[in-house]
Amino acid sequence: MNGDRRPLPPPALLARIERQCAAPAPAACASITQALQETYGASLQGILFYGSCVRGMSLTQGVADAFLVVDSYRNAYSKPWQVWLNVWLPPNVFYREIPSEAGPLRLKLALISLADFTKGIRHGFHSYLWGRFAQPARILYARDGAVRAEFHGLLAQSVLTLLSSTIPSLPARINNAETIWTHALALSYSTEFRAEPDSKAAELARHHLADYGALLEDALPGLEAVLRRADDGSYRRLADTDAARNTQKQWRRRRWSGQLLWLLRLLKAAFTFSNGVDYAAWKIGRHAGVEIEVTPRLRRYPLLFGWGVFLKLVRRGVLR
């Protein structure tokens, strides 16, 4: 166990993460890496690619998600207010389009220091980082071998933290890996307002079960305090009633506090995310099939006039 009692990644899980991160990325990613290296220079420690584009969506059809990991915020920015916002509530989120031979590449970039990234995954109470990076990712760029190895360890830790934090609240007998991952992803998603339907976690677990099942298999030695595989191929939850109850309380806390942090990050994005209103309207339309009229007034003053739209979407169940 480490300092905060989280299990350490087994060697087999680390090896799988290493292979997963080294899988070929779309050719257009070379344009992304070059453009971001030119922008951030020596401060750039790594680029982590995750989300729907890793799962197969074309880079020219959607918006790719990437985390930019830097050595320090002062080295990454030229404006003090950007440094302050990133220190206050990491990460800062930006939108950028990068030209490529395949067409314009649309990116949602989250910038975070290596220290904050490490702290959030190894010791963070909220699942904002370890919930995301428990899922398959690619390392588009790492400054050197030591940084790459650090990323491998952090992604493996994310898998263990998500699973060990959610398994105790499952029933005593668990049929299969799909049930475990559906439950884990659903709890993590519940800590943020999202436009995706409630079935999104089950859909991901089902469609990518080979990847998730392999991660669970390699993580099992690090989950021996909470999970055991039975002779019939099912699983047994080992946590007692008190542990299950405590896990449920923790996720209730993560849910209400995580949604508050989501709102604060949304407010912050009004300053860091160019065309943020248009992006949010596009994403909600894509995931929920709801068209949002982006008026000039809403685009110019999102902090004043966006709350009415937000509350209306919550009341209609579009954002959950």
Side-chain angles (χ1 to χ4, degrees):
M1 293 285 185
N2 57 9
D4 64 351
R5 300 183 62 80
R6 291 183 178 176
L8 295 175
L13 179 59
L14 279 169
R16 181 167 298 279
I17 292 294
E18 184 175 351
R19 293 193 300 272
Q20 170 187 286
C21 289
C29 288
S31 299
I32 296 174
T33 300
Q34 180 180 349
L36 296 177
Q37 284 181 290
E38 291 173 355
T39 300
Y40 294 98
S43 68
L44 187 62
Q45 300 295 294
I47 304 170
L48 295 171
F49 194 47
Y50 72 104
S52 58
C53 289
V54 171
R55 295 189 293 265
M57 178 179 287
S58 169
L59 288 176
T60 58
Q61 293 178 352
V63 176
D65 293 295
F67 260 68
L68 309 180
V69 183
V70 298
D71 57 358
S72 77
Y73 300 129
R74 293 189 183 279
N75 290 339
Y77 296 119
S78 60
K79 298 176 181 178
W81 65 266
Q82 293 176 312
V83 174
W84 183 84
L85 285 175
N86 228 145
V87 170
W88 170 60
L89 184 62
N92 279 356
V93 180
F94 306 89
Y95 176 78
R96 181 165 173 179
E97 291 189 7
I98 294 175
S100 76
E101 294 182 358
L105 307 175
R106 300 170 183 86
L107 305 174
K108 186 182 74 173
L109 303 172
L111 190 147
I112 192 168
S113 70
L114 182 56
D116 281 340
F117 189 63
T118 301
K119 179 181 177 181
I121 287 180
R122 294 202 185 280
H123 308 293
F125 175 73
H126 292 100
S127 63
Y128 182 86
L129 289 173
W130 43 264
R132 278 169 168 76
F133 286 100
Q135 303 177 66
R138 300 284 185 274
I139 299 176
L140 295 189
Y141 167 77
R143 184 172 184 175
D144 54 37
V147 172
R148 186 177 296 274
E150 178 73 4
F151 286 156
H152 292 156
L154 291 172
L155 300 188
Q157 184 67 62
S158 297
V159 174
L160 278 188
T161 300
L162 180 63
L163 293 176
S164 62
S165 298
T166 53
I167 286 171
S169 60
L170 280 165
R173 184 181 185 279
I174 307 162
N175 290 331
N176 49 45
E178 183 178 345
T179 300
I180 292 172
W181 276 101
T182 297
H183 180 69
L185 295 175
L187 284 177
S188 181
Y189 288 170
S190 72
T191 63
E192 301 176 29
F193 288 103
R194 305 178 69 93
E196 294 96 335
D198 292 337
S199 60
K200 182 65 175 180
E203 177 185 329
L204 283 178
R206 182 171 61 254
H207 288 174
H208 304 279
L209 187 56
D211 290 332
Y212 287 126
L215 286 171
L216 176 61
E217 180 68 22
D218 290 333
L220 277 176
L223 299 171
E224 57 186 8
V226 295
L227 189 71
R228 178 186 303 157
R229 187 171 50 242
D231 293 338
D232 63 359
S234 64
Y235 297 89
R236 296 292 184 270
R237 184 210 71 200
L238 303 181
D240 58 25
T241 302
D242 288 340
R245 188 179 297 112
N246 184 56
T247 296
Q248 292 166 354
K249 288 180 180 178
Q250 286 183 329
W251 280 101
R252 283 195 293 269
R253 287 174 55 203
R254 287 189 180 102
R255 188 173 300 114
W256 70 259
S257 57
Q259 290 181 350
L260 175 61
L261 289 173
W262 185 94
L263 289 172
L264 292 175
R265 287 190 173 98
L266 180 66
L267 287 172
K268 190 176 66 157
F271 299 96
T272 65
F273 204 119
S274 61
N275 299 320
V277 173
D278 297 88
Y279 167 76
W282 170 85
K283 186 167 185 178
I284 290 170
R286 174 184 156 211
H287 287 295
V290 175
E291 183 176 350
I292 297 174
E293 180 184 2
V294 180
T295 64
R297 185 177 68 171
L298 176 60
R299 186 178 287 115
R300 187 173 182 183
Y301 304 108
L303 293 182
L304 289 177
F305 300 106
W307 291 106
V309 176
F310 170 75
L311 293 174
K312 184 182 295 184
L313 293 173
V314 171
R315 285 196 299 267
R316 291 177 59 184
V318 175
L319 291 178
R320 303 167 183 84

